[in-house]
Amino acid sequence: MNCVLEGNSIKAFGKAIHALSRVGDELWLDPTVKGLALRSVNSAHSAYACFLFSPLFFQQYNLDSVREQDSGPIKCKLVMKCVLPLFRCSTSIEHSVKRCQISVSTGSDQVIVQFFCRHGITKTYNVRFLESEALQAVFASHLCPNVLKSPARLLGDMVMHFHASQEEVTLSMSAPKVSLRNYNEGRNDHMKMMHTEMSLHPDEFDYFQAGMDSDITFCLKELRGLLCFAESHCLPVSVHFGTPGKPVCFSVEDMVLEATVVLATLADFESRGPSQPTETPAPTTHSCADAAALPVGIHETQSNNLQVLPDVTELVESSQGSPITYPPVLMQLQCQGDSACAGMTPPSSMICSLLFEAMSSESGDDDDAPRLPVLAYFSDEEDYPRSPSL
Amino acid sequence: MKFRGKIIDIACLNHFTRVVTTISKLTKMCVLRLTPDNLFFVLSGKVANGGVSMWCELSQANFFDEYQMEGVSSEDNEICLEVTPENLSRALKTVQNAKAVKVKLTKKHCPCLTIAAELPTLSSVSRVVTHDVPVDVIPRRLWHEFKEPSMPDFDVSIYLPPLKTMKNIVDRMKNLSNFLVIEANLNGEMNLKIETDLVSVTTHFRDLGNPPWGDDASQDGGPSQSRDPESMVEARVDIRRLQQFLVGQQVNPSKAMCNIVHQSVLHLILLHEDMSLQYFIPAVA
């Protein structure tokens, strides 16, 4: 693989790496026909981020011819600590770097990053990579009952009210408003913790769909990188979420790139003590078994979510057609059919894991929809935009 | 007990935030006393914080456009709260562009000072952000610990050099020694001295000027006129306490001075337009 970046793209690329560095310690570089995908996941597998740069983003973009035994281009995993310093100082990059060339050398297992700078200086960095299976998370964002699309600065402004040390926040949808508050686990010193809350009116959003009332709690740290990126590019941020326990997806998109962050959310509210008086009574249990028996009033897609999960062995469309890696904890969430969820983690579990399937927003085209067995009929296609478009 | 205040003016909000931020740099926890006319941030000298005490006085009219309070009772028309100023500072810092900020005493899961800010948005509806800062109510029987400190029987009073300069010097001296001697005389001269086995460093300041407290403020001990203007009085203090005081100052005060009681206490006084801050550092042997 060989690609060349010029001008502002270099800065954008660097910012993407910054955002990814907030998520995980390793960077997956995945050159595909659709573009170069940069991905990262955190150690707990509760946060995943992906930046997909289409070939148009680059001055030049060439995929090498196939290697002997493998079916396609390289999948490589880099240590973030090695890559981040290259793009650390965005102001100096802006001033001095004219061109950046990134190539993957299979023979020596290296990614070669060359900066062609002013005054004839060329900086070459060889970063060793580990060959690895593709990392790809799949999230059926078009099935999410709640969708928000916020202008670039809105989420950033909101998040600014929370201190950098605040780890988790709760986003509550209860039509007709959305509120955001900090989440403090029941700790001994909870009496001393500050409590921050704000609410947003639907008018502030470019798109507001409140399919169901829900409170999701997720970690803010991994999100800040994406919000920073969105703000610097003035891109609106889309948020797709559903019931607590299901992942929440934040994405930004423009003509040449797509970025997504998928975060796990806390599954259980019952463990919260009386010290959280502002807690709105959330739907209590969300085990698969219960969901299957949800009253008619709840949105149809609710039950769909659980049954649309693919077979473990199904090769969902990933760039290389390689099997997806499923961390062990996720296996439990794979519900097969109605008798589903014997293996489901009990409601009291505090950890929620990601579903690893093909990202619907990444795949981008409609071919993917038939791959996932849709067992229920969408009453109204227009209500569920597959991915936010500008 | 009720308290409700509202700040509308952006400059007032800014000043108030700066005051609270300064206090937050001086101490982790302090007492906030609310009276009908004033707010006081008080730290009473205890062994735990090295005997350092602080008294900061603000006139509520300088900051609040609306201010209503009802104290514990009609004779004791005051509210005393123990608060972590850093929480207040964090809350205030994020709402600097608010249209209005309300500060209220509320009871959520515990007594709280609620900072509710109305922020401007692009849409027609304002966004409201609330920060609940937990506080502890101080019972009346402990109020005597938080009374205004009396002016100490000082031997010398002198204006301080520019705080930034002092801070730079103290920062560097801190690398060499844990204790610093501050000495001054009635001739406007001040020295900052440190002494270790290997090295001694002294910084001399001249022509600082001495505040004219006047004869009635001069002490019963010896009238200041009789003191030899050249003779120095000194106080040896923990350098970290002095540094902490200097680090917190973000704006140059209108007046900055210190009173030294020989080998007893260092009393620092900063007067700003809208607030006054006194800081006592005890001398160590």
Side-chain angles (χ1 to χ4, degrees):
Chain A
M1 189 276 297
N2 195 316
C3 65
V4 175
L5 295 160
E6 277 189 18
N8 282 334
S9 319
I10 308 178
K11 207 168 146 203
F13 197 77
K15 285 212 154 91
I17 295 189
H18 277 252
L20 287 161
S21 70
R22 302 265 196 123
V23 174
D25 295 327
E26 287 166 332
L27 183 66
W28 271 260
L29 204 70
D30 193 7
T32 76
V33 197
K34 289 217 174 81
L36 180 64
L38 299 175
R39 300 195 177 93
S40 187
V41 71
N42 72 350
S43 50
H45 287 255
S46 61
Y48 160 92
C50 172
F51 279 75
L52 178 66
F53 296 98
S54 88
L56 295 171
F57 178 78
F58 302 94
Q59 203 67 16
Q60 278 174 43
Y61 184 76
N62 305 313
L63 292 178
D64 287 335
S65 50
V66 283
R67 297 199 299 169
E68 332 75 62
Q69 63 274 67
D70 259 35
S71 54
I74 319 301
K75 312 151 273 235
C76 52
K77 183 167 85 162
L78 301 161
V79 176
M80 189 67 79
K81 269 200 311 199
C82 298
V83 181
L84 185 60
L86 273 55
F87 296 92
R88 169 144 276 155
C89 198
S90 61
T91 39
S92 81
I93 287 183
E94 206 178 338
H95 289 145
S96 55
V97 178
K98 291 194 294 192
R99 251 174 89 226
C100 168
Q101 180 164 338
I102 302 176
S103 50
V104 180
S105 154
T106 61
S108 53
D109 278 357
Q110 282 179 342
V111 170
I112 302 167
V113 180
Q114 279 186 305
F115 290 112
F116 297 91
C117 309
R118 292 197 313 176
H119 311 305
I121 299 175
T122 305
K123 298 190 210 175
T124 308
Y125 300 89
N126 300 336
V127 186
R128 191 133 276 158
F129 66 81
L130 286 174
E131 198 169 321
S132 141
E133 295 304 331
L135 170 78
Q136 201 165 356
V138 172
F139 180 74
S141 56
H142 58 285
L143 295 177
C144 286
N146 295 332
V147 181
L148 300 170
K149 187 162 164 197
S150 81
R153 299 214 50 188
L154 182 66
L155 282 186
D157 282 349
M158 301 286 284
V159 155
M160 178 208 32
H161 288 105
F162 299 98
H163 196 252
S165 62
Q166 176 68 45
E167 294 208 350
E168 285 151 346
V169 291
T170 303
L171 175 69
S172 290
M173 169 76 85
S174 84
K177 69 177 174 62
V178 167
S179 77
L180 198 59
R181 55 183 185 273
N182 64 340
Y183 173 68
N184 298 318
E185 288 171 29
R187 281 193 282 251
N188 287 340
D189 57 345
H190 78 273
M191 295 290 281
K192 292 297 173 203
M193 310 256 8
M194 214 165 93
H195 181 92
T196 303
E197 178 160 357
M198 65 203 73
S199 65
L200 295 167
H201 194 265
D203 284 350
E204 297 197 63
F205 293 94
D206 292 340
Y207 180 82
F208 186 92
Q209 173 186 306
M212 58 174 286
D213 282 1
S214 132
D215 298 344
I216 52 165
T217 300
F218 54 87
C219 208
L220 203 48
K221 172 177 157 246
E222 285 102 2
L223 180 59
R224 285 184 197 262
L226 181 73
L227 293 181
C228 212
F229 184 86
E231 245 180 280
S232 62
H233 287 78
C234 294
L235 294 171
V237 180
S238 301
V239 189
H240 294 254
F241 62 104
T243 55
K246 294 254 174 292
V248 55
C249 171
F250 295 87
S251 54
V252 298
E253 191 178 62
D254 82 1
M255 294 204 293
V256 292
L257 66 88
E258 283 170 30
T260 328
V261 170
V262 183
L263 300 172
T265 64
L266 272 187
D268 184 36
F269 283 87
E270 288 164 354
S271 64
R272 292 200 197 182
S275 58
Q276 296 275 345
T278 53
E279 193 56 58
T280 53
T284 46
T285 53
H286 283 282
S287 60
C288 281
D290 284 317
L294 282 175
V296 181
I298 303 282
H299 221 283
E300 268 194 303
T301 55
Q302 184 54 34
S303 46
N304 291 345
N305 268 343
L306 306 162
Q307 285 147 341
V308 175
L309 300 177
D311 234 353
V312 175
T313 54
E314 180 185 345
L315 281 189
V316 195
E317 190 209 83
S318 83
S319 46
Q320 300 80 11
S322 53
I324 311 297
T325 51
Y326 286 83
V329 69
L330 299 181
M331 306 294 248
Q332 296 169 0
L333 274 184
Q334 304 290 339
C335 301
Q336 319 270 347
D338 299 358
S339 60
C341 315
M344 176 69 171
T345 47
S348 56
S349 161
M350 294 289 276
I351 305 292
C352 180
S353 21
L354 281 179
L355 308 170
F356 273 66
E357 304 179 83
M359 292 291 319
S360 54
S361 57
E362 277 178 14
S363 344
D365 39 41
D366 289 332
D367 300 335
D368 292 327
R371 287 177 187 267
L372 306 174
V374 177
L375 298 178
Y377 167 69
F378 285 107
S379 46
D380 194 353
E381 267 296 337
E382 290 112 62
D383 283 350
Y384 311 102
R386 298 210 54 239
S387 53
S389 48
L390 286 176
Chain B
M1 267 197 308
K2 278 199 253 186
F3 168 63
R4 199 183 157 280
K6 190 165 169 186
I7 306 179
I8 299 184
D9 185 71
I10 288 225
C12 293
L13 178 60
N14 195 273
H15 289 166
F16 189 65
T17 308
R18 268 197 271 124
V19 171
V20 175
T21 306
T22 303
I23 303 288
S24 73
K25 296 210 159 78
L26 290 175
T27 173
K28 281 216 159 26
M29 303 210 63
C30 72
V31 167
L32 172 61
R33 272 181 63 184
L34 299 164
T35 67
D37 296 318
N38 293 307
L39 292 94
F40 304 96
F41 288 96
V42 187
L43 178 67
S44 70
K46 295 214 167 68
V47 176
N49 42 329
V52 163
S53 57
M54 170 192 74
W55 176 265
C56 176
E57 184 170 329
L58 295 84
S59 160
Q60 59 90 348
N62 283 338
F63 298 93
F64 291 89
D65 290 272
E66 285 170 30
Y67 186 93
Q68 296 148 17
M69 67 150 285
E70 249 176 56
V72 173
S73 69
S74 43
E75 312 89 54
D76 295 314
N77 194 17
E78 242 188 64
I79 301 176
C80 254
L81 306 167
E82 191 182 26
V83 69
T84 305
E86 193 183 348
N87 287 341
L88 276 180
S89 159
R90 274 193 215 164
L92 288 167
K93 277 200 271 207
T94 62
V95 297
Q96 288 299 292
N97 60 335
K99 289 199 256 184
V101 175
K102 289 193 209 151
V103 184
K104 305 182 270 205
L105 185 61
T106 57
K107 188 163 171 63
K108 307 260 165 110
H109 51 283
C110 67
C112 284
L113 265 185
T114 297
I115 311 230
E118 207 184 304
L119 297 172
T121 62
L122 295 172
S123 76
S124 52
V125 182
S126 288
R127 191 183 314 153
V128 176
V129 178
T130 19
H131 295 276
D132 292 317
V133 178
V135 295
D136 268 329
V137 179
I138 308 261
R140 254 179 294 186
R141 58 190 163 79
L142 294 175
W143 284 12
H144 62 276
E145 290 182 25
F146 308 107
K147 290 257 164 286
E148 178 163 8
S150 47
M151 182 68 71
D153 202 358
F154 58 82
D155 299 306
V156 166
S157 178
I158 188 167
Y159 286 117
L160 290 171
L163 293 183
K164 198 153 171 234
T165 312
M166 248 185 113
K167 174 183 170 312
N168 284 339
I169 292 167
V170 172
D171 278 349
R172 278 147 188 72
M173 286 183 163
K174 179 167 170 289
N175 293 331
L176 297 169
S177 166
N178 285 335
F179 297 99
L180 173 142
V181 171
I182 182 169
E183 62 176 23
N185 65 18
L186 287 169
N187 230 1
E189 291 170 352
M190 175 193 276
N191 301 331
L192 299 176
K193 302 195 300 196
I194 53 160
E195 192 166 325
T196 68
D197 293 338
L198 295 175
V199 67
S200 67
V201 183
T202 310
T203 305
H204 305 267
F205 295 95
R206 303 262 176 272
D207 297 325
L208 292 172
N210 301 83
W213 286 104
D215 289 333
D216 47 321
S218 296
Q219 310 320 304
D220 319 315
S224 54
Q225 292 101 332
S226 73
R227 169 171 289 287
D228 172 16
E230 294 288 333
S231 86
M232 292 278 188
V233 297
E234 64 171 41
R236 186 163 180 266
V237 296
D238 185 336
I239 205 171
R240 290 167 300 179
R241 307 286 173 204
L242 183 58
Q243 191 197 35
Q244 195 172 20
F245 174 77
L246 293 168
V247 153
Q249 306 314 315
Q250 303 174 296
V251 197
N252 274 330
S254 328
K255 280 199 165 67
M257 64 192 91
C258 78
N259 300 336
I260 307 180
V261 181
H262 187 60
Q263 287 173 349
S264 177
V265 79
L266 175 65
H267 177 206
L268 298 149
I269 309 177
L270 300 183
L271 296 174
H272 294 256
E273 271 175 22
D274 38 23
M275 73 114 159
S276 72
L277 176 64
Q278 296 180 48
Y279 202 70
F280 297 81
I281 308 180
V284 297

